[in-house]
Amino acid sequence: MTSIKRTAAPIVAAAGGYMLAAGLYPVMAQAETTVTLPGLSIEDTAEDTPMGDRLLSASSPSQASRTAASLSSPDTASLFRNQPGVSTYLAGGLASLPVINGMADDRVATMVDGVRIASGCPNHMNPALSFIDPDSVDTATAIAGITPVSMGGDSTGGTIDVERKDPQFARHGKILVTGHVTGTYRSNGGGYGASGSLTVANDMFSLRYNASYSQAGDYSGGGDAGIVRSTSYLTYNHAVTFGMHRDNHLFTLTFGQQDTPHEGFANQYMDMTNNRSTFVNGKYLGTFDWGELEARGYWQREDHTMDFLPDRDKTTHMPMNTNARMAGYSIKATIPLAEGQTLRLGSSFDHSGLNDWWPPVAGSMMMGPDTYHSINDGHRDRLGHFVEWEAAWTPRVTTLLGFRNDLVMMNTGPVSGYSSTMNMMNMANINAANAFNASDRGRTDVSFDVTAMVRWKPRRDLTIEGGYARKTRSPNLYERYAWGRSAMVTSMINWFGDGNGYVGNPDLKPEVANTASITADWHDPNGDRWDLKVQPYYTYTHNYVNAQRIAPAGQFYTLGFVNHNAQSYGINGSGNYRLWQNARFGRGEIVANINWVRGQDLTNGAGLYHQMPTNGSVSLNERWQNWSGRVEMTFVKAKDTVDWVRNEPRTPGYALLGLGGQYHWRYVTLDASIDNVLNQKYELPLGGWSLADNAATGVLRALPGMGRSFNVSLTANF
């Protein structure tokens, strides 16, 4: 019989970013044992595939693989560790936020199973990647600014796309029972966890259960940095996936729930004291005579609470509650036209509703006697449509041209402060609430995106790809509607980790980023002995949403969101060289990458916030029979260019040594690694200020990085 078999779309060199793992597309194939998906580790097979058969995307080939270091972390962002052009900044142990070529957070369209999940928190404690555990991930893709319009809109920095494993099916007349169990341990912070899956299927129906559990205490910084407070966490994930396939049609429905009883946020004034998310996600894939159709629909609910964890040594509490509701759909059709030409059409809608309220604190004159409504019945709805045309003109030249329109509609209801009684303590917030309620708060943004790219292969050992993209992002709900004015309430609006407080601006305009990039890829024409990629890029952003100072607030400032013009530019480089490959010594290779980015606010001359200093890594990898190992050095230059408006900390440079290895026999795989072998003391360049330590000790310091950690992971498959 025939059935849908999923094969990895090849990874391709392109302008603007790096693809860490390819998307998957259905094709017709004869089933043998099971219908399944490939793992996350990938091979670059682009050169073996005709250009007309490949999706022209804004990414360059790179590999993302599960090492013991990433397996010991429940943070899915750890899968992008040491990938060119990609960095992360610490929020919580489960919730690092991605940065692509200097563009962070909301500027990066982060999708899980095709869903653009908005953070339902004024501190972005529950970003999209925190809602899926790494063990459930099948593909993880990072694409920088020149992103095909089919990969989504309402972003300027690029796209992170993480996909869950699809169902497995048995041969005709057979029953498949399969799964795995994984246990992990991390010495620093005493972190440990477990995850696993169980699948029962026949040739038409499949049922899978995934579960994971992870917890850790506060970690210790390198050297004499000591304990870093508010870095503990505890989380549970459950998901049930039902799959059905017949002939050339595949349907998948996933129900899931995540519970996080607590998670510390060292660079915020608050910690997360509870977060529960429930979701339903459906997907259909089908092939027809005219082409392929993909349709998705989803619903998600988030209930979120913030307060202080005990290690801040707070004598009073300040509860803050949010609930978010999200729902939407996406439809994409892929239609072959003439020989070597493909047309893609699509439509999507995303609804995000938010309520954010802070209950009164008993006995507090500042935080009572009423409930503070920060966002009341707010919503952000986005309707988008795109058309994309790819054409292979010759075996050496391929082009892509895409257009996209997004309509973003935002509004929120009337708000109120802790008190309606006019006095010196509440006057600023009462006046601000009255002005906010009297204003017209509805906003509608109409945006247009364009992506144009060309790939040229002049020789067997050289591929050149260049392109231009116009990308637009509308402000989020807090950037427009955070209305409070006192130092205390504004400090609760902060997803940057910089210690400042923020005031929204309803009149913010959407950001419009114009990006140009080119990638030159030199490679071994006769195999995979060597590869070198160099990728410069430049982005000019109109109406970049930045900040300006309103008033001092102790050691920090009250800042207001404002539109400025900005530019960012940089270069990414990566390469690998096979040192040996034979039966006696196995395969040895050296892999390296280097990244440099510089961002500047053209209005005030400050550096853009969250710009990673020059960094890179060099790794010696060895594979021999069932064993593999690595020795890795990570280098980061001192951070001297900072955003003076936000009082961003300067951090010294550092180098970290890491070791790791894996052994596989039969159904069991053992991973082990040592991070920061020399226990180097260092500060995270994008970590902001260690505010939890400051609350407990009165000493303000940049957020320290983790010290030496021994990690181990054991996986059994059945």
Side-chain angles (χ1 to χ4, degrees):
M1 62 167 289
T2 58
S3 62
I4 289 181
K5 183 176 181 180
R6 307 267 287 167
T7 59
I11 303 167
V12 296
Y18 282 81
M19 179 174 284
L20 306 181
L24 303 176
Y25 296 85
V27 299
M28 296 299 298
Q30 180 69 34
E32 296 180 357
T33 54
T34 63
V35 180
T36 186
L37 295 176
L40 183 63
S41 295
I42 55 175
E43 302 289 339
D44 182 4
T45 59
E47 292 305 318
D48 299 326
T49 307
M51 284 190 172
D53 294 339
R54 289 186 277 162
L55 172 65
L56 183 63
S57 66
S59 62
S60 294
S62 181
Q63 290 190 354
S65 61
R66 288 187 175 93
T67 64
S70 63
L71 282 167
S72 65
S73 171
D75 186 359
T76 301
S78 65
L79 295 174
F80 299 98
R81 179 180 178 181
N82 288 339
Q83 299 302 325
V86 181
S87 55
T88 62
Y89 63 94
L90 182 67
L94 312 170
S96 294
L97 294 165
V99 184
I100 300 181
N101 287 350
M103 298 284 192
D105 201 9
D106 282 343
R107 294 187 174 95
V108 178
T110 305
M111 295 183 289
V112 177
D113 292 334
V115 176
R116 179 83 176 268
I117 302 176
S119 180
C121 171
N123 296 319
H124 288 195
M125 292 181 177
N126 47 15
L129 292 181
S130 69
F131 290 108
I132 182 171
D133 63 285
D135 189 54
S136 297
V137 174
D138 182 61
T139 61
T141 307
I143 305 178
I146 303 184
T147 309
V149 295
S150 56
M151 294 292 291
D154 196 29
S155 65
T156 56
T159 299
I160 295 275
D161 187 16
V162 172
E163 291 279 349
R164 200 178 303 269
K165 298 173 183 176
D166 268 7
Q168 295 172 279
F169 298 93
R171 295 173 59 184
H172 180 64
K174 302 293 185 180
I175 298 296
L176 172 69
V177 179
T178 186
H180 77 280
V181 177
T182 298
T184 62
Y185 174 74
R186 187 190 77 200
S187 67
N188 197 326
Y192 57 91
S195 60
S197 70
L198 173 65
T199 293
V200 179
N202 61 17
D203 62 321
M204 184 178 295
F205 300 103
S206 176
L207 187 65
R208 184 183 69 223
Y209 171 67
N210 287 87
S212 68
Y213 158 81
S214 187
Q215 77 169 41
D218 293 340
Y219 71 73
S220 298
D224 60 357
I227 294 294
V228 182
R229 292 168 178 81
S230 288
T231 54
S232 62
Y233 55 81
L234 171 64
T235 188
Y236 307 87
N237 284 277
H238 303 272
V240 176
T241 299
F242 169 76
M244 179 176 67
H245 85 91
R246 184 178 180 86
D247 298 329
N248 57 339
H249 304 279
L250 172 66
F251 173 74
T252 302
L253 189 65
T254 301
F255 302 85
Q257 181 171 293
Q258 181 194 74
D259 283 291
T260 303
H262 69 84
E263 182 181 2
F265 284 79
N267 59 4
Q268 300 288 353
Y269 290 106
M270 307 292 289
D271 298 304
M272 189 162 73
T273 52
N274 193 45
N275 191 84
R276 170 171 286 191
S277 170
T278 304
F279 72 90
V280 180
N281 192 325
K283 177 173 62 175
Y284 166 79
L285 292 168
T287 58
F288 302 88
D289 293 339
W290 53 265
E292 299 175 354
L293 178 66
E294 176 182 313
R296 298 178 185 256
Y298 72 94
W299 174 87
Q300 181 161 335
R301 167 177 174 167
E302 301 172 12
D303 294 300
H304 174 73
T305 303
M306 291 186 292
D307 208 328
F308 306 116
L309 290 180
D311 53 3
R312 290 182 187 259
D313 295 334
K314 292 285 188 178
T315 58
T316 60
H317 291 274
M318 180 186 170
M320 298 173 62
N321 303 322
T322 60
N323 65 50
R325 305 292 184 268
M326 289 165 283
Y329 74 83
S330 66
I331 301 174
K332 180 167 67 175
T334 302
I335 306 170
L337 300 176
E339 182 69 23
Q341 299 191 37
T342 302
L343 180 68
R344 300 181 186 92
L345 304 170
S347 172
S348 63
F349 176 78
D350 297 281
H351 164 75
S352 179
L354 181 68
N355 282 294
D356 182 354
W357 74 100
W358 311 346
V361 177
S364 173
M365 295 183 63
M366 179 181 294
M367 295 175 286
D370 302 323
T371 296
Y372 184 97
H373 291 277
S374 178
I375 299 288
N376 180 33
D377 195 24
H379 69 85
R380 189 179 190 274
D381 299 329
R382 180 177 64 248
L383 177 65
H385 302 87
F386 73 85
V387 58
E388 189 172 81
W389 174 46
E390 178 185 352
W393 302 102
T394 73
R396 295 180 179 271
V397 178
T398 304
T399 62
L400 181 140
L401 181 64
F403 299 92
R404 183 181 183 94
N405 166 243
D406 283 284
L407 185 69
V408 180
M409 298 158 284
M410 303 172 61
N411 207 341
T412 185
V415 298
S416 60
Y418 278 117
S419 174
S420 59
T421 302
M422 188 69 73
N423 56 53
M424 291 300 295
M425 190 172 295
N426 298 311
M427 184 179 300
N429 289 329
I430 291 174
N431 290 335
N434 291 337
F436 185 85
N437 293 336
S439 66
D440 179 11
R441 299 178 295 276
R443 296 292 186 272
T444 299
D445 301 327
V446 181
S447 62
F448 296 92
D449 290 356
V450 179
T451 297
M453 290 186 286
V454 60
R455 182 190 297 122
W456 176 42
K457 187 177 180 181
R459 304 197 311 254
R460 291 180 59 212
D461 64 345
L462 175 62
T463 302
I464 299 174
E465 183 166 327
Y468 161 82
R470 181 190 193 271
K471 297 291 183 179
T472 310
R473 180 190 78 94
S474 290
N476 63 39
L477 286 170
Y478 288 101
E479 286 172 328
R480 273 187 167 152
Y481 297 136
W483 58 272
R485 301 291 297 207
S486 70
M488 188 279 293
V489 300
T490 60
S491 67
M492 301 296 104
I493 311 296
N494 184 317
W495 53 91
F496 306 101
D498 59 11
N500 300 298
Y502 285 83
V503 178
N505 179 357
D507 295 324
L508 285 177
K509 299 176 182 178
E511 298 177 333
V512 179
N514 294 273
T515 299
S517 180
I518 188 169
T519 298
D521 178 1
W522 292 273
H523 45 268
D524 181 3
N526 300 312
D528 60 351
R529 184 175 180 85
W530 60 273
D531 185 86
L532 175 65
K533 302 177 186 69
V534 179
Q535 179 193 81
Y537 58 89
Y538 176 83
T539 298
Y540 185 93
T541 305
H542 296 276
N543 300 318
Y544 185 92
V545 177
N546 214 336
Q548 64 182 5
R549 291 179 178 178
I550 296 176
Q555 302 176 82
F556 301 103
Y557 294 90
T558 297
L559 305 176
F561 290 113
V562 66
N563 288 122
H564 287 169
N565 290 336
Q567 66 177 358
S568 58
Y569 46 91
I571 186 168
N572 299 319
S574 66
N576 62 79
Y577 185 79
R578 191 179 75 229
L579 301 173
W580 60 82
Q581 183 169 352
N582 53 60
R584 183 177 182 182
F585 297 107
R587 176 189 174 101
E589 65 177 352
I590 187 168
V591 179
N593 71 77
I594 187 169
N595 314 285
W596 175 79
V597 62
R598 179 65 57 87
Q600 183 182 22
D601 185 313
L602 298 176
T603 302
N604 59 28
L608 297 183
Y609 194 64
H610 277 146
Q611 304 290 291
M612 189 70 178
T614 304
N615 64 94
S617 65
V618 178
S619 177
L620 176 63
N621 302 329
E622 162 70 4
R623 294 183 183 180
W624 180 72
Q625 296 183 2
N626 293 340
W627 179 87
S628 64
R630 63 181 173 86
V631 180
E632 179 182 83
M633 287 293 298
T634 300
F635 305 90
V636 178
K637 184 179 178 293
K639 185 175 179 63
D640 296 319
T641 302
V642 297
D643 183 354
W644 60 263
V645 176
R646 288 180 164 95
N647 195 27
E648 183 178 12
R650 288 179 165 84
T651 57
Y654 58 88
L656 303 179
L657 173 65
L659 303 174
Q662 180 186 91
Y663 187 78
H664 174 76
W665 68 100
R666 299 195 67 182
Y667 305 110
V668 179
T669 301
L670 175 67
D671 285 274
S673 69
I674 308 174
D675 290 336
N676 195 359
V677 173
L678 304 179
N679 200 32
Q680 174 72 38
K681 181 179 180 180
Y682 65 104
E683 296 169 339
L684 297 169
L686 306 185
W689 297 104
S690 190
L691 299 178
D693 287 332
N694 184 51
T697 66
V699 177
L700 183 65
R701 60 176 178 173
L703 188 63
M706 186 180 292
R708 183 188 298 116
S709 182
F710 297 89
N711 313 307
V712 65
S713 172
L714 183 65
T715 300
N717 296 281
F718 58 89

